[in-house]
């Protein structure tokens, strides 16, 4: 009889320990870290979508704006640079790597803005269905990038907060020592200054 009672006590002790661990926040750090990594993958996916659209947009504009070769070359070079800088999930704790990636993407955004501005000088290009479809897809992709970056920033904020607050700080200092705060996006220089419109 005492053997059965000892088994019941052991079973209930394991059950109580499992319930205590489930509610203590032990799983928060890995869960939030994986969420932030997934959000980063979404950011990269949207940047890749933009990079994939650019050759078609450049080819369409080339047919109409042969004398705008320097703008087209700038877009092509910015795309090459933006796609050459890669950050995987293991590098998200390095703010310098994220800054390099963001700077390259911002250069590409600027080059695309100049390319779209070129279209204003070519009425035939502005009415071309291929150009309009590509421009619409590019605008949609830019919006997706904004949303993906916002989601990543929020996910990183939650993860970094968990590493610094109780009880996460206890888990981070014991079982999850390898988990470091992740880098966030920062506004690029001049983002606070409104663009100058000149006619």
């Amino acid at each position: 009889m005492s053997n059965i009672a000892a088994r019941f006590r052991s079973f209930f002790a394991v059950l109580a320990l499992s319930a205590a661990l489930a509610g203590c926040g032990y799983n928060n750090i890995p869960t939030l870290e994986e969420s932030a990594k997934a959000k980063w993958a979404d950011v990269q996916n949207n940047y890749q979508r933009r990079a994939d659209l650019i050759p078609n947009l450049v080819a369409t504009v080339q047919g109409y704006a042969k004398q705008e070769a320097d703008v087209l070359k700038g877009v092509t070079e910015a795309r090459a640079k933006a796609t050459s800088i890669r950050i995987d999930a293991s590098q998200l704790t390095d703010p310098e790597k994220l800054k390099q990636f963001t700077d390259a993407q911002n250069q590409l955004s600027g080059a695309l803005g100049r390319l779209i501005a070129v279209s204003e000088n070519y009425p035939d290009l502005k009415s071309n269905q291929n150009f309009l479809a590509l421009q619409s897809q590019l605008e949609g992709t830019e919006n997706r990038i904004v949303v993906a970056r916002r989601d990543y920033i929020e996910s990183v904020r939650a993860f970094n907060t968990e590493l610094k607050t109780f009880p996460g700080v206890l888990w981070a200092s014991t079982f999850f020592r390898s988990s470091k705060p992740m880098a966030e996006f920062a506004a690029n220089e001049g983002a606070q200054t409104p663009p100058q419109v000149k006619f």
Side-chain angles (χ1 to χ4, degrees):
M1 188 66 138
S2 65
N3 192 15
I4 293 174
R7 285 186 182 177
F8 274 122
R9 275 184 265 161
S10 296
F11 173 75
F12 285 117
V14 168
L15 189 63
L17 182 62
S18 297
L21 281 177
C24 70
Y26 177 81
N27 291 325
N28 289 355
I29 291 174
T31 301
L32 292 171
E33 185 174 27
E34 290 304 315
S35 175
K37 288 178 182 178
K39 300 295 185 192
W40 176 250
D42 196 32
V43 169
Q44 287 184 310
N45 180 47
N46 284 299
Y47 278 132
Q48 185 61 52
R49 175 184 163 83
R50 178 175 71 172
D52 292 344
L53 288 172
I54 290 170
N56 294 327
L57 187 65
V58 168
T60 303
V61 174
Q62 271 178 330
Y64 286 88
K66 295 193 186 310
Q67 63 269 36
E68 303 292 350
D70 58 331
V71 173
L72 297 171
K73 182 181 177 189
V75 170
T76 304
E77 288 173 354
R79 178 189 180 269
K81 183 175 182 184
T83 56
S84 70
I85 298 175
R86 296 232 173 247
I87 296 181
D88 63 27
S90 68
Q91 297 170 316
L92 291 175
T93 57
D94 186 350
E96 186 56 38
K97 289 271 189 194
L98 188 62
K99 183 179 180 333
Q100 289 172 356
F101 180 83
T102 303
D103 288 348
Q105 294 300 331
N106 289 338
Q107 276 186 316
L108 181 55
S109 293
L112 285 172
R114 289 187 294 281
L115 179 64
I116 298 300
V118 162
S119 71
E120 297 298 318
N121 297 327
Y122 300 92
D124 291 341
L125 174 60
K126 287 195 316 188
S127 64
N128 178 282
Q129 293 302 312
N130 288 339
F131 178 77
L132 293 174
L134 288 166
Q135 185 178 12
S136 175
Q137 286 186 32
L138 198 56
E139 288 169 355
T141 300
E142 292 295 328
N143 290 335
R144 288 179 184 191
I145 289 169
V146 169
V147 170
R149 283 177 62 152
R150 183 197 64 211
D151 291 347
Y152 171 75
I153 289 167
E154 176 55 30
S155 189
V156 166
R157 185 206 57 77
F159 173 70
N160 290 348
T161 301
E162 182 66 24
L163 292 178
K164 296 175 185 175
T165 57
F166 187 80
V169 70
L170 296 176
W171 296 117
S173 63
T174 54
F175 293 103
F176 299 106
R177 287 186 184 153
S178 63
S179 294
K180 303 292 181 213
M182 290 185 180
E184 296 182 19
F185 281 103
N188 59 334
E189 293 177 20
Q192 307 302 323
T193 307
Q196 298 293 319
V197 179
K198 294 181 182 178
F199 294 101

